[in-house]
């Protein structure tokens, strides 16, 4: 299962590795995630994350985010409000697969630094180590810091 998750994460990153611009960094919420963003079409972007969470799970998530608005709140830098659907897969003490989404606000400085605040709702199926299976939902707030190139 670990090999499958690594292959899926590498395939997602290699699929989008040829376009510009990109951003790589960390997101902190209920755990820590490595985040990779890649602009796809216009201002829309794909975000892939690999994270470790407090309850011993490793999670891979990918969301396609639509840039909804770019408000002109400051003279320098750029604001962005985005949202989009995605999927998540994880394992650890339990295995889970989920439909996820993301809603966020980001600020890209006039130098290559990006800060973001996201909310990621998730609805999925959780299979525990004790052979139990059930539905779960979560809402994870995260703060992100990325280098944009």
């Amino acid at each position: 299962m670990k090999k499958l998750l690594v292959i899926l994460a590498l395939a997602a990153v290699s699929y989008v590795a040829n376009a510009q611009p990109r951003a790589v960094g960390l997101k902190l919420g209920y755990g820590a995630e490595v985040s990779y963003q890649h602009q796809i079409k216009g201002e829309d972007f794909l975000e892939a994350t690999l994270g470790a969470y407090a309850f011993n799970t490793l999670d891979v998530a990918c969301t396609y985010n639509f840039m909804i608005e770019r408000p002109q709140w400051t003279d320098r830098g750029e604001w962005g409000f985005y949202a989009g659907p995605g999927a998540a897969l994880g394992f650890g003490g339990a295995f889970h697969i989920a439909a996820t989404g993301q809603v966020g606000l980001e600020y890209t400085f006039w130098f290559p630094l990006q800060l973001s605040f996201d909310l990621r709702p998730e609805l999925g199926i959780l299979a525990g180590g004790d052979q139990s299976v059930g539905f779960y939902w979560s809402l994870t707030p995260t703060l992100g810091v990325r280098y944009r190139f």
Side-chain angles (χ1 to χ4, degrees):
M1 184 55 62
K2 291 178 185 178
K3 289 180 185 178
L4 176 64
L5 289 176
V6 170
I7 289 170
L8 288 173
L10 289 175
V13 169
S14 67
Y15 173 74
V16 296
N18 294 322
Q20 292 282 347
R22 298 176 278 239
V24 64
L26 295 174
K27 291 174 77 173
L28 298 174
Y30 293 133
E33 296 177 319
V34 175
S35 169
Y36 176 76
Q37 286 184 350
H38 192 86
Q39 195 165 341
I40 299 293
K41 182 179 74 170
E43 293 185 333
D44 299 343
F45 63 92
L46 185 70
E47 181 175 6
T49 60
L50 175 64
Y53 292 97
F55 37 92
N56 274 346
T57 62
L58 184 64
D59 191 60
V60 175
C62 190
T63 56
Y64 186 92
N65 295 285
F66 300 95
M67 188 59 66
I68 296 170
E69 182 67 38
R70 288 234 179 247
Q72 297 297 317
W73 291 335
T74 57
D75 292 337
R76 297 179 78 182
E78 189 174 69
W79 289 91
F81 177 67
Y82 55 89
L89 185 66
F91 63 94
F95 171 79
H96 73 268
I97 186 166
T100 187
Q102 184 165 271
V103 176
L105 179 66
E106 69 182 17
Y107 179 71
T108 303
F109 290 89
W110 53 97
F111 50 91
L113 178 67
Q114 183 182 70
L115 301 177
S116 67
F117 175 74
D118 306 324
L119 289 175
R120 187 169 39 194
E122 197 169 276
L123 175 63
I125 298 173
L126 179 71
D130 60 353
Q131 306 300 325
S132 63
V133 175
F135 289 98
Y136 77 95
W137 74 273
S138 67
L139 181 64
T140 306
T142 62
L143 292 173
V145 176
R146 292 182 203 85
Y147 170 73
R148 189 165 176 129
F149 56 101

